[in-house]
Coordinates of all heavy atoms in Angstrom, one line a residue:
D101 N -29.7 29.7 69.6 CA -29.2 28.7 70.6 C -30.4 27.9 71.2 O -31.3 28.5 71.8 CB -28.4 29.4 71.6 CG -27.4 28.5 72.3 OD1 -27.0 27.5 71.7 OD2 -26.9 28.9 73.4
F102 N -30.4 26.6 71.0 CA -31.5 25.8 71.5 C -31.3 25.4 73.0 O -30.2 25.1 73.4 CB -31.6 24.5 70.7 CG -32.6 23.5 71.2 CD1 -34.0 23.7 71.0 CD2 -32.2 22.4 71.9 CE1 -34.9 22.8 71.5 CE2 -33.2 21.5 72.4 CZ -34.5 21.7 72.1
K103 N -32.4 25.5 73.8 CA -32.3 25.2 75.2 C -33.5 24.3 75.5 O -34.7 24.7 75.4 CB -32.3 26.4 76.1 CG -32.2 26.1 77.5 CD -32.1 27.4 78.4 CE -31.9 27.0 79.8 NZ -31.8 28.1 80.7
A104 N -33.3 23.1 75.9 CA -34.3 22.1 76.3 C -34.8 22.3 77.7 O -34.0 22.8 78.6 CB -33.9 20.7 76.1
N105 N -36.0 22.0 78.0 CA -36.5 22.0 79.4 C -35.9 20.8 80.2 O -35.6 19.8 79.7 CB -38.0 21.8 79.4 CG -38.7 23.1 78.9 OD1 -38.2 24.2 79.0 ND2 -39.8 22.8 78.2
M106 N -35.6 21.1 81.5 CA -35.1 20.0 82.3 C -36.2 19.0 82.5 O -37.4 19.3 82.6 CB -34.7 20.6 83.7 CG -33.5 21.5 83.7 SD -32.1 20.5 83.3 CE -30.8 21.5 84.1
P107 N -35.7 17.7 82.6 CA -36.7 16.6 82.9 C -37.3 16.9 84.3 O -36.7 17.5 85.2 CB -35.8 15.4 82.9 CG -34.6 15.7 82.2 CD -34.4 17.2 82.4
K108 N -38.5 16.3 84.5 CA -39.1 16.3 85.9 C -38.5 15.2 86.7 O -38.0 14.2 86.2 CB -40.6 16.1 85.7 CG -41.3 17.3 85.0 CD -42.8 17.1 85.0 CE -43.4 18.3 84.3 NZ -44.8 18.1 84.1
D109 N -38.5 15.4 88.0 CA -38.0 14.3 88.9 C -38.7 13.0 88.6 O -39.9 12.9 88.2 CB -38.3 14.7 90.4 CG -37.4 15.8 90.8 OD1 -36.5 16.2 90.1 OD2 -37.6 16.3 91.9
F110 N -37.9 11.9 88.7 CA -38.4 10.6 88.4 C -38.4 9.8 89.7 O -37.4 9.7 90.4 CB -37.5 9.9 87.4 CG -37.9 8.5 87.0 CD1 -39.1 8.3 86.3 CD2 -37.1 7.4 87.3 CE1 -39.5 7.1 86.0 CE2 -37.5 6.2 87.0 CZ -38.7 6.0 86.3
T111 N -39.5 9.1 90.0 CA -39.7 8.4 91.3 C -39.5 6.9 91.1 O -39.5 6.2 92.1 CB -41.1 8.7 91.9 OG1 -42.1 8.2 91.0 CG2 -41.3 10.1 92.2
G112 N -39.5 6.4 89.8 CA -39.4 5.0 89.6 C -40.7 4.4 89.0 O -40.7 3.2 88.7
E113 N -41.7 5.3 88.8 CA -42.9 4.8 88.2 C -42.7 4.4 86.8 O -42.3 5.3 86.0 CB -44.0 5.9 88.3 CG -44.5 6.2 89.7 CD -45.3 5.0 90.3 OE1 -46.0 4.3 89.5 OE2 -45.1 4.7 91.5
R114 N -43.0 3.2 86.5 CA -42.8 2.7 85.1 C -43.6 3.5 84.1 O -43.1 3.7 83.0 CB -43.2 1.2 85.0 CG -42.3 0.3 85.7 CD -42.8 -1.1 85.5 NE -42.0 -2.0 86.3 CZ -41.3 -3.0 85.9 NH1 -41.3 -3.2 84.6 NH2 -40.6 -3.8 86.7
S115 N -44.7 4.0 84.4 CA -45.6 4.8 83.5 C -44.9 6.1 83.1 O -45.2 6.7 82.1 CB -47.0 5.0 84.0 OG -46.9 5.7 85.2
D116 N -44.0 6.6 83.9 CA -43.3 7.8 83.6 C -41.9 7.7 83.0 O -41.3 8.6 82.6 CB -43.1 8.6 84.9 CG -44.3 9.0 85.6 OD1 -45.4 9.2 85.0 OD2 -44.3 9.1 86.9
L117 N -41.5 6.4 82.8 CA -40.1 6.2 82.4 C -39.8 6.7 81.0 O -38.8 7.4 80.8 CB -39.8 4.7 82.5 CG -38.4 4.3 82.0 CD1 -37.3 5.0 82.9 CD2 -38.2 2.8 82.1
Q118 N -40.6 6.3 80.0 CA -40.3 6.7 78.6 C -40.3 8.2 78.4 O -39.4 8.7 77.8 CB -41.3 6.1 77.6 CG -40.9 6.2 76.2 CD -39.5 5.6 75.9 OE1 -39.3 4.4 76.2 NE2 -38.6 6.4 75.4
N119 N -41.2 8.9 79.1 CA -41.2 10.4 79.0 C -39.9 10.9 79.6 O -39.3 11.9 79.1 CB -42.4 10.9 79.6 CG -42.6 12.4 79.3 OD1 -42.5 12.8 78.2 ND2 -42.9 13.2 80.4
F120 N -39.5 10.4 80.7 CA -38.3 10.8 81.4 C -37.1 10.6 80.5 O -36.2 11.5 80.3 CB -38.1 10.1 82.7 CG -36.8 10.5 83.4 CD1 -36.7 11.7 84.1 CD2 -35.7 9.6 83.4 CE1 -35.5 12.0 84.7 CE2 -34.5 10.0 84.0 CZ -34.4 11.2 84.7
I121 N -37.0 9.4 79.9 CA -35.9 9.1 79.0 C -35.8 10.0 77.8 O -34.8 10.5 77.4 CB -35.9 7.6 78.5 CG1 -35.6 6.7 79.7 CG2 -35.0 7.3 77.4 CD1 -35.9 5.2 79.4
D122 N -37.0 10.3 77.2 CA -37.1 11.2 76.1 C -36.6 12.6 76.4 O -35.8 13.2 75.7 CB -38.5 11.3 75.5 CG -39.0 10.0 74.9 OD1 -38.2 9.1 74.6 OD2 -40.2 9.8 74.7
N123 N -37.0 13.1 77.6 CA -36.6 14.4 78.0 C -35.1 14.4 78.3 O -34.4 15.4 78.0 CB -37.3 14.8 79.3 CG -38.7 15.2 79.0 OD1 -39.0 15.7 77.9 ND2 -39.6 15.0 79.9
C124 N -34.5 13.4 78.8 CA -33.0 13.3 79.0 C -32.3 13.3 77.7 O -31.3 14.0 77.5 CB -32.7 12.1 79.9 SG -33.0 12.2 81.6
E125 N -32.8 12.5 76.8 CA -32.2 12.5 75.4 C -32.2 13.9 74.8 O -31.2 14.2 74.2 CB -32.9 11.5 74.5 CG -32.7 10.0 74.9 CD -31.3 9.6 74.6 OE1 -30.6 10.1 73.7 OE2 -30.8 8.6 75.3
L126 N -33.3 14.6 74.9 CA -33.3 16.0 74.4 C -32.2 16.8 75.0 O -31.5 17.6 74.4 CB -34.7 16.6 74.6 CG -35.8 16.2 73.7 CD1 -37.1 16.7 74.1 CD2 -35.5 16.5 72.2
M127 N -32.0 16.7 76.3 CA -31.0 17.4 77.0 C -29.6 17.1 76.5 O -28.7 17.9 76.3 CB -31.1 17.2 78.5 CG -32.2 17.9 79.2 SD -32.2 19.7 79.0 CE -30.7 20.1 79.9
F128 N -29.4 15.8 76.3 CA -28.1 15.3 75.8 C -27.8 15.9 74.4 O -26.7 16.3 74.1 CB -28.0 13.8 75.8 CG -28.2 13.1 77.1 CD1 -28.8 11.9 77.2 CD2 -27.9 13.8 78.3 CE1 -29.0 11.3 78.4 CE2 -28.1 13.2 79.5 CZ -28.7 11.9 79.6
I129 N -28.8 15.9 73.6 CA -28.7 16.5 72.2 C -28.4 18.0 72.3 O -27.5 18.5 71.6 CB -29.9 16.2 71.4 CG1 -30.0 14.7 71.1 CG2 -29.9 17.0 70.1 CD1 -31.3 14.3 70.5
A130 N -29.1 18.7 73.1 CA -29.0 20.1 73.3 C -27.7 20.5 73.9 O -27.2 21.7 73.8 CB -30.2 20.7 74.0
N131 N -27.1 19.6 74.7 CA -25.9 20.0 75.5 C -24.7 19.0 75.2 O -24.0 18.6 76.1 CB -26.2 19.9 77.0 CG -27.2 21.0 77.4 OD1 -26.8 22.2 77.4 ND2 -28.4 20.6 77.6
K132 N -24.5 18.7 73.9 CA -23.5 17.8 73.5 C -22.1 18.1 74.0 O -21.3 17.3 74.4 CB -23.4 17.7 72.0 CG -24.5 16.9 71.3 CD -24.3 16.8 69.8 CE -25.5 16.2 69.2 NZ -25.4 16.2 67.7
A133 N -21.8 19.4 74.0 CA -20.5 19.9 74.5 C -20.3 19.7 76.0 O -19.2 19.6 76.4 CB -20.3 21.3 74.1
K134 N -21.4 19.7 76.7 CA -21.3 19.6 78.2 C -21.4 18.2 78.8 O -20.8 17.9 79.8 CB -22.3 20.6 78.8 CG -22.1 22.0 78.6 CD -23.1 22.9 79.2 CE -22.9 24.3 78.9 NZ -24.0 25.2 79.5
I135 N -22.3 17.5 78.1 CA -22.6 16.1 78.7 C -22.1 15.1 77.6 O -22.9 14.7 76.7 CB -24.1 15.9 78.9 CG1 -24.7 17.1 79.8 CG2 -24.4 14.6 79.6 CD1 -26.2 17.1 79.9
K136 N -20.8 14.7 77.7 CA -20.2 13.9 76.7 C -20.1 12.4 77.1 O -20.4 11.6 76.2 CB -18.8 14.4 76.4 CG -18.8 15.8 75.8 CD -17.3 16.2 75.6 CE -17.3 17.7 75.1 NZ -15.9 18.1 74.9
S137 N -19.7 12.1 78.3 CA -19.4 10.7 78.6 C -20.7 10.0 79.1 O -21.7 10.6 79.5 CB -18.4 10.7 79.8 OG -19.0 11.2 81.0
D138 N -20.6 8.7 79.0 CA -21.8 7.9 79.5 C -22.0 8.2 81.0 O -23.1 8.3 81.4 CB -21.5 6.4 79.3 CG -21.7 6.0 77.8 OD1 -22.3 6.8 77.0 OD2 -21.2 5.0 77.4
D139 N -20.9 8.2 81.8 CA -21.0 8.5 83.2 C -21.7 9.9 83.4 O -22.5 10.1 84.3 CB -19.7 8.4 83.9 CG -19.3 7.0 84.3 OD1 -20.1 6.1 84.1 OD2 -18.1 6.8 84.7
G140 N -21.3 10.8 82.6 CA -21.9 12.2 82.7 C -23.4 12.1 82.4 O -24.2 12.8 83.1
K141 N -23.8 11.4 81.4 CA -25.2 11.2 81.1 C -26.0 10.5 82.2 O -27.1 10.9 82.6 CB -25.4 10.5 79.8 CG -24.9 11.2 78.6 CD -25.0 10.4 77.3 CE -24.5 11.2 76.1 NZ -24.5 10.4 74.9
I142 N -25.4 9.5 82.7 CA -26.0 8.7 83.8 C -26.2 9.6 85.1 O -27.2 9.7 85.7 CB -25.2 7.5 84.2 CG1 -25.3 6.5 83.0 CG2 -25.7 6.8 85.4 CD1 -24.3 5.3 83.1
A143 N -25.1 10.3 85.4 CA -25.1 11.2 86.6 C -26.2 12.3 86.4 O -26.9 12.6 87.3 CB -23.8 11.8 86.8
F144 N -26.3 12.9 85.2 CA -27.3 13.9 84.9 C -28.7 13.3 85.2 O -29.5 13.9 85.9 CB -27.2 14.4 83.5 CG -28.3 15.3 83.1 CD1 -28.3 16.6 83.4 CD2 -29.5 14.8 82.4 CE1 -29.4 17.5 83.1 CE2 -30.5 15.6 82.1 CZ -30.5 17.0 82.4
A145 N -29.0 12.1 84.6 CA -30.3 11.5 84.7 C -30.6 11.2 86.2 O -31.7 11.4 86.7 CB -30.4 10.2 83.9
L146 N -29.6 10.6 86.9 CA -29.8 10.2 88.2 C -30.0 11.4 89.2 O -30.6 11.2 90.2 CB -28.6 9.4 88.7 CG -28.5 8.0 88.2 CD1 -27.2 7.3 88.7 CD2 -29.7 7.1 88.4
S147 N -29.6 12.6 88.8 CA -29.8 13.7 89.6 C -31.3 14.1 89.8 O -31.7 14.8 90.6 CB -29.0 15.0 89.0 OG -29.7 15.4 87.9
F148 N -32.1 13.5 88.9 CA -33.6 13.6 89.0 C -34.3 12.5 89.7 O -35.5 12.5 89.8 CB -34.1 13.9 87.6 CG -33.6 15.1 86.9 CD1 -32.5 15.1 86.1 CD2 -34.2 16.3 87.2 CE1 -32.0 16.2 85.5 CE2 -33.7 17.5 86.6 CZ -32.6 17.4 85.8
F149 N -33.5 11.5 90.1 CA -34.0 10.4 90.9 C -34.1 10.7 92.3 O -33.2 10.4 93.1 CB -33.1 9.1 90.7 CG -33.3 8.4 89.3 CD1 -33.5 9.2 88.1 CD2 -33.1 7.1 89.2 CE1 -33.6 8.5 86.9 CE2 -33.2 6.4 88.0 CZ -33.5 7.2 86.8
T150 N -35.1 11.4 92.7 CA -35.1 12.1 94.1 C -35.9 11.4 95.1 O -35.7 11.7 96.3 CB -35.6 13.5 93.9 OG1 -36.9 13.5 93.4 CG2 -34.7 14.3 93.1
S151 N -36.8 10.4 94.7 CA -37.6 9.8 95.7 C -38.0 8.4 95.2 O -37.7 8.0 94.1 CB -38.8 10.6 96.1 OG -39.6 10.8 94.9
G152 N -38.6 7.6 96.1 CA -39.1 6.3 95.7 C -38.0 5.4 95.4 O -36.8 5.5 95.8
T153 N -38.3 4.4 94.6 CA -37.3 3.4 94.2 C -36.2 4.0 93.4 O -35.1 3.5 93.4 CB -37.9 2.2 93.4 OG1 -38.6 2.7 92.3 CG2 -38.9 1.4 94.3
A154 N -36.5 5.1 92.7 CA -35.5 5.7 91.9 C -34.3 6.3 92.7 O -33.2 6.2 92.3 CB -36.1 6.9 91.0
A155 N -34.6 6.8 93.9 CA -33.6 7.3 94.8 C -32.7 6.1 95.3 O -31.5 6.3 95.4 CB -34.2 8.0 96.0
D156 N -33.3 5.0 95.4 CA -32.5 3.8 95.8 C -31.5 3.4 94.7 O -30.4 3.1 94.9 CB -33.4 2.6 96.1 CG -34.2 2.8 97.4 OD1 -33.8 3.6 98.2 OD2 -35.3 2.2 97.5
W157 N -32.0 3.4 93.5 CA -31.1 3.1 92.3 C -30.0 4.1 92.3 O -28.8 3.7 92.0 CB -31.9 3.2 91.0 CG -33.1 2.3 90.9 CD1 -33.2 1.1 91.5 CD2 -34.2 2.4 90.0 NE1 -34.4 0.5 91.1 CE2 -35.0 1.3 90.2 CE3 -34.6 3.4 89.1 CZ2 -36.2 1.1 89.6 CZ3 -35.8 3.2 88.5 CH2 -36.6 2.1 88.7
R158 N -30.3 5.4 92.5 CA -29.2 6.4 92.5 C -28.2 6.1 93.6 O -27.0 6.2 93.3 CB -29.8 7.8 92.7 CG -28.8 8.9 92.7 CD -29.3 10.3 92.9 NE -29.9 10.3 94.3 CZ -30.6 11.3 94.7 NH1 -30.9 12.3 93.9 NH2 -31.0 11.3 96.0
R159 N -28.6 5.8 94.8 CA -27.7 5.5 95.8 C -26.8 4.3 95.5 O -25.6 4.3 95.7 CB -28.4 5.3 97.1 CG -28.7 6.5 97.9 CD -29.3 6.2 99.3 NE -30.4 7.0 99.5 CZ -31.7 6.7 99.2 NH1 -32.0 5.6 98.8 NH2 -32.6 7.6 99.4
N160 N -27.4 3.3 94.9 CA -26.6 2.1 94.5 C -25.6 2.4 93.5 O -24.4 1.9 93.5 CB -27.6 1.0 94.1 CG -28.4 0.4 95.2 OD1 -28.0 0.4 96.4 ND2 -29.5 -0.2 94.9
W161 N -25.9 3.2 92.5 CA -25.0 3.6 91.4 C -23.8 4.4 92.0 O -22.7 4.2 91.7 CB -25.7 4.4 90.3 CG -24.8 4.7 89.2 CD1 -24.5 3.9 88.1 CD2 -24.1 5.9 88.9 NE1 -23.7 4.5 87.3 CE2 -23.4 5.8 87.7 CE3 -24.0 7.1 89.6 CZ2 -22.6 6.8 87.2 CZ3 -23.2 8.1 89.1 CH2 -22.5 8.0 87.9
M162 N -24.2 5.3 92.9 CA -23.1 6.1 93.5 C -22.2 5.3 94.4 O -21.0 5.5 94.4 CB -23.8 7.3 94.4 CG -24.5 8.3 93.5 SD -25.4 9.5 94.4 CE -24.2 10.3 95.3
K163 N -22.7 4.3 95.1 CA -21.9 3.4 95.9 C -20.9 2.6 95.0 O -19.7 2.5 95.3 CB -22.7 2.5 96.7 CG -23.4 3.1 97.9 CD -24.2 2.0 98.7 CE -25.0 2.7 99.8 NZ -25.9 1.7 100.4
E164 N -21.4 2.1 93.9 CA -20.6 1.4 92.9 C -19.5 2.3 92.3 O -18.4 1.8 92.2 CB -21.4 0.8 91.8 CG -22.3 -0.4 92.2 CD -23.1 -0.9 91.0 OE1 -22.7 -0.7 89.9 OE2 -24.1 -1.6 91.3
K165 N -19.8 3.5 92.0 CA -18.8 4.4 91.4 C -17.8 4.9 92.4 O -16.6 5.1 92.1 CB -19.5 5.6 90.8 CG -20.2 5.3 89.5 CD -19.2 5.0 88.5 CE -19.8 4.5 87.2 NZ -18.8 4.1 86.2
S166 N -18.2 5.0 93.7 CA -17.2 5.5 94.7 C -16.4 4.4 95.3 O -15.4 4.7 96.0 CB -18.0 6.2 95.8 OG -18.8 5.3 96.5
G167 N -16.7 3.2 94.9 CA -15.9 2.0 95.3 C -16.1 1.7 96.7 O -15.7 1.1 97.6

């Protein structure tokens, strides 16, 4: 059974973006049965947007989803 490492928190630094995306993609592949929908994938990724401009993006997405 394959288990990927969790991505590191993302602050919005452009230089960290591709590595963060790659780590999320590995998680999606390793957890196909658990993370199926686009919203689920987005929510998973946003859970690592904990500070900086990334935290602002997360708040905005959550506001849009909650109506």
Side-chain angles (χ1 to χ4, degrees):
D101 205 20
F102 174 74
K103 184 176 179 180
N105 292 326
M106 289 291 206
K108 293 181 180 176
D109 288 350
F110 182 66
T111 63
E113 288 294 322
R114 288 180 189 242
S115 61
D116 298 332
L117 180 59
Q118 191 57 57
N119 191 49
F120 177 77
I121 290 171
D122 292 345
N123 287 330
C124 285
E125 287 292 334
L126 284 173
M127 287 300 295
F128 302 151
I129 291 167
N131 293 287
K132 285 182 190 176
K134 293 180 183 178
I135 308 172
K136 297 179 183 180
S137 70
D138 287 342
D139 278 351
K141 291 176 182 180
I142 293 168
F144 173 84
L146 290 178
S147 72
F148 296 94
F149 285 35
T150 57
S151 62
T153 56
D156 295 334
W157 298 337
R158 180 181 66 190
R159 273 186 227 96
N160 290 335
W161 184 81
M162 291 172 63
K163 285 179 188 176
E164 286 180 21
K165 283 296 176 181
S166 65

